[in-house]
Amino acid sequence: MADTLNPPGQVPVTVLTGYLGAGKTTLLNRILSENHGRKYAVVINEFGELGVDNDLVVDTDEEVFEMNNGCICCTVRGDLIRIVNGLMKRRDKFDGIIIETTGLANPAPVAQTFFVDDTVKEKTRLDAIITVVDAKHLPQRLIDSAEAEEQIAFADVIVLNKVDLVSPDELAEVEAQIRRINKYAKIHHATKGNVSITELLDQGAFDLNRVLVHAPDFLTSDEHEHNDEIRSMSFEAEQPIDAERFNAWIGALLAEKGGDMLRTKGILSYEGDDRRFAFQAVHMMADGDFIGPWKDGEKRVSRIVFIGRNLNRPQLRRGFESCQVA
Amino acid sequence: MSETADKVLQTRGKTRELDAFVVKASFDRSGSACAFALGDGEVAILRQGADDWQRIRAHEGAVLALATDAAPQGWISGGDDGRFYRIQPDGTVALIAPFGMRWVENVTSFTDGARTRLVACSAGKKLAVFNAQDEELKVFEHPSTVTGMVFDGKGKRVAASHYDGASVWLVASRSDTPRRLEWKGSHIGITMSPDGDNVVTSMQENSLHGWRLSDNQHMRMTGYPSKTQALSFTRSGKWLASSGADSVVLWPFFGGGPMGKPPTELAGGDGINCTYVACHPKDDLVAAGFADGLVVIADIASARILPVAGPGRGPISTLAWSPDGAHLALGSESGFAAMVDLSKK
């Protein structure tokens, strides 16, 4: 089972993003109609393409605002804060929350909402961001829309939909395009959103071990990529991490480059602690907590993943490695 | 601690486990009964002198808002089923207006005790005001969802909080342009001083913001470790009580305050967050509830604290005084509810 960053009893929240026409609502209706015996509160907006068939549907306007905390990229969905607070008054009536965003939405405000509000942090946990993409039209979307690229960058799980409409070569190319942006998301091929819900819900996005083990990053070069395209990279450290050094380094890094850093996730082995420390950030908003213990005999390797623009690989590598205990 | 802290509850209280989140408690205007709105859509009514808690089904989902009706008896309520209801004194539920899929998140009423009776609610960006015949008088539109609303003491104006400030509307005006009170950020609740001159909002960034309407003076009240869920002016208008810290935070609205003055803090020091406050309808007293279930009444001038209920019954989510100030109702997130008789015996 997946590790969770947060204590039990918290409501898992799944965020469903994807460009218009990618098949988001079809996938949502599939999830809801599958016979899983669970009840979901579904948050949609009135511009949805199709109706959603569920008992508990909340219709909302995506109301984004900027936090007055000195960090320019910290935008938050105030409507979600209200809705989560409202839903908590009947907590026993559902098992999870699914939030569908509009096609043009940047996922950052949704993700940052889970860092900013105390009640949301305390009562819920962001389980996974699922991005639905259209295999046929994604190449064009990536050219004409910054949001399409960010939706892939933010994803923990990508449903590559409508694969029946493309040739094997086209499919390989579109998958390579996704991997260039985000190496660490799980990709599922689908037609009409036919993905088993066990691959979508209860993902525990913080099960970074799983993600990283399946996508090792040893073979990538140390070249300095310097452009506005979104890239992802990960680093490992074999010596234990000095918590103070790590906090100082990551704090300064996010303060300076947070605008470019879309997502940062890590599992750290702190010196003198038998528990794994899970770290995550969206732009400048960061959070972290101890999760379960390292297993007996498990190699205590600290790993960190960056997804963003203008990532300076040698600098990030040196920075992370310098957080190790000397 | 608990045994002595519970003495008032045990000797003067009527208590009940209602098995659902107690969203809001409210006495009716006559003080003859108190209603408790619940997260399961029901409303529990306890009448003075009775031991029976009548439970009625009001909303399909959760009740999100409850207030006294403009009439001498009964209440108004809003829910996540998009309904704005009247709850009659006998427990009958009547529809005032439906709002589709939008949650009815705030309700309030006003009466001058004579002919003027207004009830109002907010759903999404709309704030709707109805007269005594439940005819829609006004619908005010806002730039973003209304998060709180309040009538002034004369029923002439209604103020609503939203993103980037608040809007103050003249209820009877023909023009549909509000006075905009601007301050960047997400404002999540609102109150107005009894004299109608000060509008204060709570903010997502764990602070309060205020505007003095007579001279456009801004007020910033900061330093809270968490969000302020409850704001309440004393009847005298001298103090604004607020939740969101590990004490009851009271800002002085006299002697030039709150600008440049530190707040008075009462009933603090144990690190437990204050979750709700309600000022007494007559005297400078404030009832406060805490995250551990503790409920106290504090005398502001003397700083004396009377414990009402000890910890252990869930975070306090609502407190309400009867209009004469002789009874206090309380409710918790885990479903505990009580009404306490504080009159001289």
Side-chain angles (χ1 to χ4, degrees):
Chain A
M1 198 58 230
D3 294 318
T4 56
L5 181 62
N6 304 300
Q10 290 180 313
V11 182
V13 180
T14 304
V15 176
L16 197 53
T17 89
Y19 216 73
L20 283 170
K24 234 176 351 184
T25 309
T26 307
L27 179 68
L28 178 57
N29 277 326
R30 269 194 86 105
I31 293 171
L32 295 172
S33 63
E34 215 163 297
N35 187 18
H36 40 60
R38 294 202 197 174
K39 287 192 200 126
Y40 289 93
V42 178
V43 181
I44 59 165
N45 66 85
E46 60 192 342
F47 302 110
E49 305 145 62
L50 303 166
V52 173
D53 188 18
N54 194 48
D55 284 344
L56 184 44
V57 179
V58 185
D59 187 9
T60 186
D61 293 327
E62 297 186 343
E63 295 187 331
V64 175
F65 74 96
E66 212 171 282
M67 288 291 287
N68 287 327
N69 55 6
C71 105
I72 45 154
C73 47
C74 187
T75 50
V76 173
R77 288 268 306 270
D79 59 310
L80 288 182
I81 296 174
R82 280 188 299 104
I83 287 166
V84 167
N85 268 297
L87 287 174
M88 287 308 136
K89 286 164 183 153
R90 45 162 156 163
R91 169 67 193 92
D92 52 340
K93 297 288 188 284
F94 55 90
D95 304 296
I97 300 173
I98 301 175
I99 298 166
E100 182 188 7
T101 71
T102 51
L104 285 166
N106 174 338
V110 184
Q112 291 186 141
T113 303
F114 290 83
F115 291 78
V116 160
D117 186 77
D118 291 339
T119 312
V120 172
K121 253 163 58 175
E122 185 190 324
K123 312 269 186 182
T124 67
R125 67 180 167 81
L126 184 54
D127 185 63
I129 297 176
I130 300 173
T131 298
V132 187
V133 298
D134 173 338
K136 182 88 183 162
H137 295 108
L138 182 67
Q140 187 56 39
R141 288 288 89 80
L142 288 175
I143 292 165
D144 61 26
S145 143
E147 288 82 8
E149 193 183 21
E150 301 221 343
Q151 288 169 356
I152 289 173
F154 271 93
D156 300 297
V157 177
I158 292 173
V159 175
L160 184 49
N161 203 17
K162 308 192 184 180
V163 293
D164 54 328
L165 301 182
V166 294
S167 69
D169 284 352
E170 283 175 303
L171 184 60
E173 174 50 30
V174 79
E175 197 160 333
Q177 270 189 310
I178 293 171
R179 282 293 177 226
R180 272 199 289 278
I181 299 166
N182 185 342
K183 277 181 227 162
Y184 308 103
K186 282 205 290 183
I187 299 180
H188 298 289
H189 293 183
T191 49
K192 298 201 174 93
N194 65 338
V195 183
S196 160
I197 68 154
T198 56
E199 304 288 353
L200 302 174
L201 303 176
D202 287 322
Q203 291 300 292
F206 293 98
D207 192 0
L208 292 176
N209 281 343
R210 181 206 67 212
V211 175
L212 295 178
V213 163
H214 288 100
D217 201 23
F218 305 127
L219 303 174
T220 43
S221 70
D222 252 5
E223 83 200 86
H224 179 188
E225 294 177 50
H226 201 82
N227 57 40
D228 276 350
E229 284 172 11
I230 299 172
R231 292 289 179 262
S232 53
M233 50 190 67
S234 73
F235 303 102
E236 291 190 358
E238 303 219 335
Q239 296 301 315
I241 298 292
D242 180 312
E244 258 179 54
R245 271 191 226 168
F246 176 77
N247 286 332
W249 170 69
I250 200 82
L253 179 69
L254 294 178
E256 191 196 341
K257 304 241 168 92
D260 278 342
M261 315 288 258
L262 301 183
R263 279 195 99 176
T264 306
K265 328 184 229 188
I267 294 281
L268 307 175
S269 169
Y270 276 159
E271 189 192 26
D273 208 300
D274 287 333
R275 295 166 299 169
R276 292 169 301 164
F277 188 85
F279 174 86
Q280 64 150 342
V282 173
H283 290 304
M284 296 181 191
M285 303 296 298
D287 204 354
D289 211 346
F290 284 103
I291 55 174
W294 294 94
K295 292 184 193 77
D296 286 341
E298 183 181 11
K299 201 173 169 197
R300 298 188 182 184
V301 177
S302 299
R303 297 186 174 93
I304 194 160
V305 169
F306 296 99
I307 302 176
R309 297 186 175 88
N310 298 313
L311 301 180
N312 184 328
R313 182 185 296 277
Q315 214 173 57
L316 290 173
R317 179 190 300 281
R318 277 197 302 276
F320 185 53
E321 286 173 353
S322 72
C323 296
Q324 294 174 102
V325 173
Chain B
M1 162 89 183
S2 266
E3 232 166 87
T4 41
D6 269 348
K7 191 176 163 211
V8 171
L9 192 68
Q10 283 163 4
T11 56
R12 290 168 168 263
K14 286 177 183 167
T15 67
R16 195 77 154 197
E17 291 291 344
L18 294 174
D19 302 319
F21 195 121
V22 184
V23 176
K24 193 88 167 70
S26 172
F27 284 86
D28 65 7
R29 285 190 189 273
S30 71
S32 67
C34 185
F36 299 80
L38 304 177
D40 63 3
E42 296 193 349
V43 173
I45 300 171
L46 178 62
R47 294 178 177 79
Q48 298 284 11
D51 290 314
D52 169 47
W53 295 62
Q54 183 190 6
R55 278 188 80 146
I56 55 165
R57 170 137 292 280
H59 293 272
E60 280 295 323
V63 191
L64 296 175
L66 177 78
T68 176
D69 195 357
Q73 290 184 302
W75 300 267
I76 51 176
S77 69
D80 64 14
D81 56 357
R83 301 288 170 129
F84 180 31
Y85 282 132
R86 166 168 292 110
I87 298 164
Q88 318 271 15
D90 66 357
T92 317
V93 177
L95 182 68
I96 299 173
F99 289 86
M101 281 185 70
R102 293 291 149 162
W103 292 7
V104 178
E105 289 181 88
N106 298 282
V107 300
T108 189
S109 70
F110 171 81
T111 181
D112 59 0
R115 282 172 49 210
T116 305
R117 283 185 189 177
L118 302 171
V119 295
C121 73
S122 80
K125 297 169 187 170
K126 286 186 169 61
L127 188 167
V129 183
F130 301 81
N131 66 13
Q133 288 74 46
D134 291 348
E135 292 160 352
E136 193 177 271
L137 288 179
K138 290 278 178 178
V139 178
F140 299 124
E141 290 279 350
H142 298 81
S144 60
T145 296
V146 173
T147 53
M149 56 193 269
V150 62
F151 277 109
D152 71 9
K154 294 176 178 160
K156 301 281 186 214
R157 297 170 298 170
V158 63
S161 54
H162 45 74
Y163 280 1
D164 297 335
S167 300
V168 182
W169 303 86
L170 287 169
V171 175
S173 167
R174 292 214 182 137
S175 122
D176 279 339
T177 315
R179 176 167 176 187
R180 294 259 190 234
L181 306 176
E182 292 180 356
W183 188 258
K184 205 167 174 314
S186 173
H187 300 255
I188 56 175
I190 193 165
T191 191
M192 206 186 280
S193 59
D195 65 2
D197 194 29
N198 299 287
V199 172
V200 181
T201 60
S202 50
M203 296 194 67
Q204 176 70 33
E205 288 91 350
N206 301 346
S207 63
L208 309 183
H209 196 84
W211 296 264
R212 194 159 62 203
L213 300 181
S214 50
D215 62 357
N216 292 310
Q217 168 82 47
H218 282 257
M219 306 168 235
R220 291 188 70 192
M221 291 156 270
T222 60
Y224 294 87
S226 61
K227 275 193 295 189
T228 292
Q229 305 282 359
L231 286 172
S232 177
F233 271 100
T234 55
R235 178 69 199 156
S236 64
K238 281 172 72 179
W239 299 97
L240 173 65
S242 57
S243 68
D246 74 343
S247 60
V248 184
V249 176
L250 294 138
W251 295 94
F253 275 69
F254 57 92
M259 285 70 71
K261 308 265 179 184
T264 294
E265 297 186 42
L266 296 177
D270 54 2
I272 310 283
N273 233 17
C274 174
T275 50
Y276 206 90
V277 292
C279 288
H280 190 271
K282 293 178 175 164
D283 302 320
D284 280 358
L285 301 171
V286 56
F290 290 81
D292 61 357
L294 177 71
V295 176
V296 303
I297 297 169
D299 180 309
I300 299 170
S302 69
R304 278 187 315 166
I305 308 291
L306 171 71
V308 174
R313 300 181 182 93
I316 296 301
S317 48
T318 182
L319 295 164
W321 290 96
S322 60
D324 63 358
H327 292 84
L328 177 70
L330 57 102
S332 82
E333 286 186 18
S334 54
F336 178 75
M339 193 209 289
V340 179
D341 181 355
L342 297 159
S343 54
K344 288 204 177 86
K345 284 191 179 170

